[in-house]
Amino acid sequence: MVTPDEAIVITGVAAVSALGSGKDKSWRGLLRGESGLSKITRFATDDFPVKVAGEVLDFDAAETIDRRLVVATDRWTQLALFATELALRDADVDLAAFDPDRVAVSTAAGSAGNEFGQREIEALWSRGPRAVTVYQSIAWFYAATTGQISIRNGSKGPSLVLAGGATAGLDVFGRAAWTLASDADIALVGGTEAPVSPYALACQLTSGRLSSSDDPTTAYQPFGRDANGYAVGEGGAMCVVERAAHCRGRGRRPLAVVSGHAASHDGRRSASDDAEVRGLGLCEAIQGALARAGVSGRQIDVVFADGAGSPDEDHAEVAAMRMALGDAARSVPVTVPRSATGRMEAAGGCFDVAIATSALVDQIIPPTVNVPLLAATSEIELVRSARPTALRHALVLARSNGGGNSALVLSTYE
Amino acid sequence: MRRVAVTGVGVVAPGSPGTKAFWELLTSGRTATRRISLFDVTGFRSQIGAECDFDAITLGLSPQERARMDRYVQFATVAAREAVSESELDLADVPSERVAVAMGTAVGGTTRLEEDYVSVSDGGRRWIIDPHYARPFLYDALVPSALSDEIAVQFDAHGPTTLVSTGCTSGLDAIGTAYRLLVSGAADVVIAGAADSPISPISVACFDAIKATTARNDDPEHASRPFDRERDGFVIGEGAATLVLEDLDHARRRGAYIYCEVTGYATRSNAYHMTGLRPDGLEMSAAIDAAMSEARLDPSDIDYVNAHGSGTLQNDRHETAAVKRSLGHHAYSVPMSSIKSMVGHSLGAIGAIELAACVLAIDEGVIPPTANLEHPDPDCDLDYVPRVAREACVSHVLSVGSGFGGFQSAVTLSFERKDI
């Protein structure tokens, strides 16, 4: 079946993570079964209950971004500016050749410019109001990254920011369909996260879902018997998204098709003790995404799971897959690449989209690392080493702390 | 194409909470701007705010809700309950997966983040803060989807839940998102709105640093002066507004009171500067044109323009130019007012509060004034409805917004969609 003209396609990707920030570094690191989790280096954690994170150690903003812009932005925005440039190159798009009114930017934000904000609020409380710089009003808020990407690239089309957990990271791709239907021809879609600052980590701790392990190999074990929370990660991904006809029109072959998206909320179900009740919302999102993609559960060749890394949440996700995919849920390969990079809030959804795209292009499933033993309730086929496989349809899942669920179907381009 | 009705309105605005008090303030032309009382403003450049007189327990929140929710979420919850109640929608009659939530906020839990920051850092003394001093639920203050999640739980909504955070256009963009969701058929009811409670030291200081806010500290009641030649910046505000948006057929079938329809939405970027605006207003005009085109409205159809009207030197000129560009000579005869003159600028929330005002303007047939407009800036020569509310037959309204990061948004509301 040939991909229709109006299909939404991914035409360039750039994933940035603890496995590396350069082109394809994250993808190749995943295939080698590497883990980017390590003891935190960004500040001294001797007296701090969070010890492990996935830091992007090879990224120096000063090398890729003008000094004046570095001063005015948080690391979170800097990672996104860098990834945007890489994604445009991957898509072979020179924005100067396109009408700026028809170029859109959509980012998903989690903890936003938290480190920049902590520096500024420290200045305020230790030295007084006049110590707050002229950049605070533009560097820490959730919209800063979209704003800076649009300015740097001269894009005047619709700009969007969704904030939240991993669901926001999938939802920006789902929303691209609306934007590209009439308001834009090219959309820069994705998100990044830079949460390794003391106050941001303290905030995350209050969710009760962070691991306090000081061993990078045990701090994030999605679906594992010894799951004890998750580790945070820096990074994310930016992608170039177009209508299929537009990409073909400029002589390029799309990488993958965004064939379906749906989202739901648990509402009051999240209070239940029953995994099936808690998983019902995700099940509905999966069913919605499959219906929009015109694909049945049996046609899914790989699931990029959310992988919360907490026993009760992992159980709910398994229950959701079983309710939505039936018998196929036991045998379909499931993987959580962010086990190697840490969870990135909203940007985690974007990272998964980029990695799933690479999987579809190269026809290989990246592994989940650091999960030697599965939990008894994890009746799934978790991929633990890179697996070449015929892949046509990938299901990407996301759940957020507050009860949101999103599902995205990505398919090979034909 | 599916049509989108507004069937409920809820507002928590500066001054007294509730839609009735809000509308009474707007039509009186009084202002709710005063010396900031929420914290000690000594030493800050701008000392004025538009604060909500808000007691959570009196307004129906439980002690645990108050403890769990940041101030802006409290506002939004009270506003949402009012809107849903006014809509007379029995949510038990709607399949829960067909009820969605779309909320907006610019700075989310900044108040709570700052409150706890002081203790975890021991007054800014420690970079490596002590997490033991962080209160529970601080995660929710960091990641603002807590707002939309809370509303989804309050009403047990199982449809898609979205948190839009596009700075000062968040309110318009959240309601625009809800509109698009309904048009796409993904939901039948959307609880949509926005909230912000930014009146805390770090926010006041960050606007001080760029002199965006007014320094008219000796005259707080008259400090927010959009389009006036004496204006010197905006007054920081707080608040929330929620609309119940519903598929029009769905609303008609249940005999709902239909205030008006949402008929168009568009957003563009100026791709120029994070805070600066070019005086030509091109990109705001492009957003206006696109929204009006979607609504099938000509310039002569517009009965009221609800301005962004923040009261900064640059905004009011930028916006005047944009409206002239889009409406042509009609710009000179269409009333255009800024309610920020009365309720200040509550960042992400204000777009929703302004749309609530537009809904009421259509429903009541009254256009709110621009307060404090005594001597217009010569570069601002349109009819800004100075100081006194005006009775009018309002069928089609254009609401515009603009924000840091270059966002430019426009929404059109119609009593009844044109060219059906």
Side-chain angles (χ1 to χ4, degrees):
Chain A
M1 202 191 94
V2 176
T3 302
D5 278 351
E6 291 316 299
I8 303 302
V9 292
I10 306 225
T11 59
V13 300
V16 173
S17 74
L19 293 168
S21 59
K23 178 175 165 60
D24 294 334
K25 286 236 171 92
S26 294
W27 178 235
R28 286 193 245 115
L30 284 171
L31 293 183
R32 287 193 294 264
E34 289 169 6
S35 170
L37 298 184
S38 66
K39 295 238 168 91
I40 288 173
T41 66
R42 207 153 175 85
F43 64 93
T45 59
D46 310 79
D47 295 323
F48 202 79
V50 182
K51 310 284 190 192
V52 170
E55 296 175 309
V56 183
L57 295 171
D58 68 345
F59 177 73
D60 180 359
E63 282 166 18
T64 60
I65 295 165
D66 184 85
R67 194 179 348 117
R68 285 166 304 176
L69 195 47
V70 172
V71 165
T73 51
D74 180 82
R75 182 172 168 80
W76 148 69
T77 296
Q78 293 157 9
L79 287 167
L81 289 169
F82 175 70
T84 299
E85 216 172 281
L86 285 185
L88 285 166
R89 266 188 250 147
D90 193 52
D92 195 27
V93 166
D94 173 9
L95 285 176
F98 296 93
D99 178 358
D101 291 347
R102 305 281 305 167
V103 182
V105 179
S106 281
T107 64
S111 62
N114 57 83
E115 189 180 75
F116 196 105
Q118 187 180 341
R119 275 205 304 274
E120 294 278 334
I121 205 171
E122 180 178 87
L124 167 63
W125 283 93
S126 59
R127 303 203 299 277
R130 277 169 220 235
V132 172
T133 73
V134 296
Y135 303 116
Q136 168 59 2
S137 61
I138 61 165
W140 90 267
F141 75 125
Y142 306 89
T145 291
T146 282
Q148 292 287 11
I149 290 174
S150 121
I151 291 167
R152 196 165 199 232
N153 293 282
S155 53
K156 295 194 175 187
S159 277
L160 176 68
V161 185
L162 298 185
T167 50
L170 293 191
D171 292 348
V172 280
F173 286 93
R175 286 278 295 259
W178 294 350
T179 309
L180 291 167
S182 55
D183 285 341
D185 299 321
I186 293 183
L188 305 173
V189 182
T192 49
E193 177 77 357
V196 188
S197 71
Y199 193 30
L201 287 178
C203 292
Q204 292 226 21
L205 266 171
T206 67
S207 72
R209 303 235 171 250
L210 276 194
S211 169
S212 50
S213 166
D214 60 358
D215 178 355
T217 65
T218 64
Y220 183 27
Q221 304 181 52
F223 304 110
R225 185 195 70 179
D226 302 322
N228 62 89
Y230 66 88
V232 303
E234 290 187 317
M238 290 298 300
C239 300
V240 179
V241 187
E242 303 169 63
R243 290 183 312 279
H246 187 266
C247 180
R248 288 175 191 139
R250 59 185 186 85
R252 288 287 290 186
R253 185 188 161 85
L255 302 175
V257 184
V258 180
S259 42
H261 166 264
S264 70
H265 200 276
D266 294 341
R268 295 189 193 143
R269 290 172 182 151
S270 23
S272 171
D273 286 331
D274 186 329
E276 287 199 344
V277 172
R278 287 204 321 279
L280 192 48
L282 179 60
C283 168
E284 288 169 354
I286 294 170
Q287 290 168 334
L290 291 174
R292 294 207 182 122
V295 162
S296 76
R298 282 186 321 276
Q299 291 177 278
I300 294 296
D301 300 309
V302 59
V303 178
F304 286 81
D306 179 73
S310 293
D312 57 341
E313 295 303 320
D314 288 346
H315 189 190
E317 187 169 15
V318 172
M321 284 192 264
R322 192 171 54 240
M323 290 187 287
L325 303 177
D327 291 335
R330 283 180 202 277
S331 54
V332 67
V334 176
T335 189
V336 185
R338 282 168 291 109
S339 56
T341 64
R343 286 180 71 84
M344 306 160 180
E345 290 299 320
C350 308
F351 181 79
D352 280 359
V353 169
I355 296 305
T357 298
S358 298
L360 290 169
V361 169
D362 289 355
Q363 297 282 287
I364 180 163
I365 301 173
T368 306
V369 299
N370 292 329
V371 185
L373 292 165
L374 287 178
T377 52
S378 298
E379 291 167 310
I380 54 173
E381 169 65 21
L382 191 66
V383 176
R384 256 80 70 85
S385 60
R387 188 185 300 182
T389 315
L391 297 173
R392 238 179 124 219
H393 301 291
L395 176 66
V396 187
L397 303 180
R399 303 181 73 217
S400 64
N401 273 3
N405 308 287
S406 293
L408 194 82
V409 179
L410 277 175
S411 307
T412 45
Y413 175 74
E414 280 155 31
Chain B
M1 187 179 123
R2 287 180 117 213
R3 289 162 65 181
V4 176
V6 177
T7 56
V9 183
V11 181
V12 171
S16 303
T19 300
K20 198 150 165 277
F22 170 61
W23 188 240
E24 208 271 314
L25 178 77
L26 293 189
T27 51
S28 71
R30 286 192 329 270
T31 70
T33 56
R34 65 185 182 211
R35 184 177 168 81
I36 288 173
S37 69
L38 286 168
F39 67 92
D40 180 2
V41 263
T42 315
F44 289 81
R45 175 181 176 271
S46 177
Q47 302 184 343
I48 305 168
E51 299 177 327
C52 296
D53 292 324
F54 183 87
D55 181 273
I57 304 298
T58 306
L59 291 168
L61 294 177
S62 74
Q64 285 189 352
E65 285 174 330
R66 182 180 57 181
R68 175 175 78 240
M69 299 179 194
D70 203 339
R71 186 173 169 83
Y72 79 112
V73 178
Q74 294 176 24
F75 290 166
T77 300
V78 170
R81 286 178 182 168
E82 183 188 10
V84 172
S85 168
E86 285 300 301
S87 73
E88 296 186 321
L89 176 66
D90 185 351
L91 285 169
D93 291 340
V94 188
S96 59
E97 69 274 10
R98 300 293 298 169
V99 181
V101 173
M103 287 282 149
T105 187
V107 297
T110 201
T111 313
R112 192 165 275 203
L113 281 176
E114 182 155 31
E115 280 167 10
D116 276 32
Y117 173 76
V118 178
S119 39
V120 302
S121 70
D122 201 13
R125 287 176 183 78
R126 307 166 50 146
W127 176 254
I128 300 175
I129 54 84
D130 185 345
H132 296 103
Y133 286 90
R135 87 180 94 174
F137 311 113
L138 207 54
Y139 172 86
D140 293 347
L142 182 69
V143 183
S145 45
L147 169 60
S148 44
D149 289 335
E150 183 69 55
I151 301 298
V153 172
Q154 289 281 329
F155 298 99
D156 204 21
H158 295 149
T161 294
T162 308
L163 192 290
V164 177
S165 193
T166 44
C168 297
T169 56
S170 299
L172 291 179
D173 294 335
I175 285 164
T177 289
Y179 163 70
R180 290 244 178 277
L181 207 52
L182 285 159
V183 168
S184 78
D188 295 322
V189 174
V190 186
I191 302 168
D196 262 303
S197 57
I199 304 180
S200 75
I202 187 63
S203 302
V204 173
C206 84
F207 293 123
D208 276 354
I210 54 171
K211 299 187 166 66
T213 39
T214 174
R216 198 176 171 121
N217 299 318
D218 57 343
D219 189 14
E221 275 175 36
H222 305 111
S224 181
R225 315 180 64 82
F227 308 112
D228 190 85
R229 73 173 181 225
E230 312 273 304
R231 68 189 186 279
D232 73 329
F234 67 86
V235 167
I236 193 167
E238 59 173 1
T242 301
L243 304 181
V244 176
L245 297 195
E246 202 172 334
D247 169 63
L248 183 65
D249 288 338
H250 188 272
R252 281 179 175 157
R253 275 199 304 272
R254 71 174 181 93
Y257 182 80
I258 294 166
Y259 288 82
C260 62
E261 296 180 53
V262 180
T263 49
Y265 165 61
T267 183
R268 296 287 183 270
S269 322
N270 70 14
Y272 169 62
H273 193 270
M274 288 297 280
T275 57
L277 297 167
R278 279 198 217 84
D280 58 16
L282 282 184
E283 298 80 16
M284 177 184 267
S285 175
I288 292 170
D289 292 346
M292 285 177 57
S293 167
E294 183 173 21
R296 307 253 190 280
L297 294 174
D298 300 317
S300 58
D301 294 320
I302 303 292
D303 301 308
Y304 169 46
V305 177
N306 179 278
H308 184 64
S310 55
T312 64
L313 274 175
Q314 66 166 5
N315 175 75
D316 297 357
R317 284 181 193 151
H318 169 266
E319 174 165 28
T320 295
V323 169
K324 284 180 182 174
R325 191 181 169 83
S326 288
L327 300 189
H329 69 272
H330 291 286
Y332 289 92
S333 47
V334 178
M336 171 164 154
S337 71
S338 166
I339 68 166
K340 290 183 179 72
S341 59
M342 297 174 276
V343 297
H345 186 1
S346 44
L347 309 187
I350 195 65
I353 294 173
E354 284 166 352
L355 283 176
C358 293
V359 170
L360 296 169
I362 291 172
D363 198 51
E364 301 276 337
V366 178
I367 294 174
T370 303
N372 303 324
L373 181 51
E374 275 150 25
H375 304 288
D377 179 343
D379 286 338
C380 298
D381 56 347
L382 302 180
D383 173 9
Y384 306 105
V385 196
R387 304 188 311 282
V388 178
R390 193 183 298 171
E391 286 190 0
C393 179
V394 183
S395 295
H396 302 289
V397 177
L398 168 69
S399 182
V400 294
S402 179
F404 283 10
F407 300 86
Q408 315 292 328
S409 296
V411 173
T412 57
L413 301 179
S414 300
F415 175 65
E416 191 175 64
R417 188 179 168 82
K418 191 185 166 193
D419 280 357
I420 33 170

